[in-house]
Amino acid sequence: MLVAGFPAGAFQTNCYVVAPAAGEACVIVDPGQDAVDPLQAALAEHRLTPVAVLLTHGHFDHTFSVQPVCDGTDIPAWIHPEDRALLADPMKGISRESAAFFGGRLELREPREVRELTDRGELELAGMRLRVDHTPGHTPGSVVFTTDTEDGTEVVLAGDTLFAGSIGRTDLPGGSHEQLLESIRERLLGRPDSAVVLPGHGQTTTIGRERASNPFLRGLAPAPGRGL
């Protein structure tokens, strides 16, 4: 499996391209602010052809470039229905203070083709199987995507649900600290220690590392089973 990522824009949001190997089809995850040029460079470097954009949630630092990326390559965007409204009206997902920074308005548009994700659904894209888990808390429509490497290691595209040493903020509209912790407990903590977490910001981590050392997860027991 090939995973290439880079931090985009002022918010340093991680944008990823994921493919079975170089020279094949790929999916793009969370093309944020100023992601178009570095994304094109990554696609060219690895000779990849995008077939879809996957959005872990609707905050504009993760969706800023989704319309030009999708419409420029004629591919669909996938997002959970509870966050879909944020694609065209990102102000619904930010604080008053942040809105004031943008003069009270920030105009974005939906891509021509938007498809809605379902909890515990599976996507067959670019020769890969990606599982979808709804993980509300950071936003009502937050999700994580999971695929497996050739040796069976889980790769979790976690958005802003879980970070290395932290969790997503819950003080924005639609956020809930209790709901986020429950999402992490039910959908992430029961996974193998080796599961690799690719977060929306910051460095890569593993489920085992976060279970052992993340201060926000202290005392949080996994749900029975693997949470999948």
Side-chain angles (χ1 to χ4, degrees):
M1 177 178 293
L2 184 153
V3 179
F6 57 88
F11 300 94
Q12 293 291 278
T13 302
N14 290 331
C15 176
Y16 299 99
V17 292
V18 186
E24 299 194 22
C26 73
V27 295
I28 298 165
V29 182
D30 290 352
Q33 183 186 35
D34 298 332
V36 173
D37 288 345
L39 182 54
Q40 290 177 340
L43 295 175
E45 177 184 355
H46 300 289
R47 310 183 314 283
L48 299 173
T49 302
V51 298
V53 167
L54 307 181
L55 299 171
T56 61
H57 63 290
H59 282 159
F60 73 88
D61 59 321
H62 292 251
T63 68
F64 197 94
S65 298
V66 65
Q67 185 267 328
V69 168
C70 285
D71 291 354
T73 51
D74 196 26
I75 59 175
W78 291 83
I79 191 168
H80 192 277
E82 292 195 42
D83 274 14
R84 180 169 179 171
L86 299 181
L87 290 178
D89 189 0
M91 290 301 177
K92 289 182 177 180
I94 64 178
S95 65
R96 290 182 179 179
E97 293 77 14
S98 297
F101 179 79
F102 292 99
R105 58 185 302 189
L106 179 63
E107 295 184 359
L108 297 177
R109 289 193 296 116
E110 274 197 1
R112 284 191 296 266
E113 184 177 1
V114 178
R115 301 181 185 180
E116 295 186 348
L117 299 163
T118 58
D119 183 32
R120 299 185 185 270
E122 288 193 348
L123 303 176
E124 297 278 353
L125 296 168
M128 299 178 293
R129 178 175 297 172
L130 296 115
R131 304 189 300 277
V132 180
D133 281 283
H134 186 207
T135 54
H138 177 62
T139 67
S142 288
V143 301
V144 301
F145 300 99
T146 305
T147 190
D148 297 329
T149 65
E150 295 83 352
D151 65 2
T153 300
E154 292 187 8
V155 177
V156 184
L157 294 142
D160 288 1
T161 294
L162 180 65
F163 301 126
S166 189
I167 60 175
R169 62 186 295 182
T170 55
D171 59 333
L172 298 175
S176 167
H177 184 75
E178 293 76 15
Q179 193 174 42
L180 179 57
L181 290 179
E182 185 63 14
S183 291
I184 294 171
R185 186 184 80 86
E186 286 191 353
R187 300 301 177 93
L188 292 174
L189 284 191
R191 299 181 187 225
D193 285 352
S194 60
V196 176
V197 178
L198 303 178
H201 302 268
Q203 65 186 19
T204 299
T205 185
T206 65
I207 290 295
R209 186 180 305 152
E210 297 314 303
R211 191 188 297 112
S213 63
N214 190 315
F216 294 91
L217 308 184
R218 191 168 294 127
L220 194 66
R226 298 181 66 241
L228 294 176

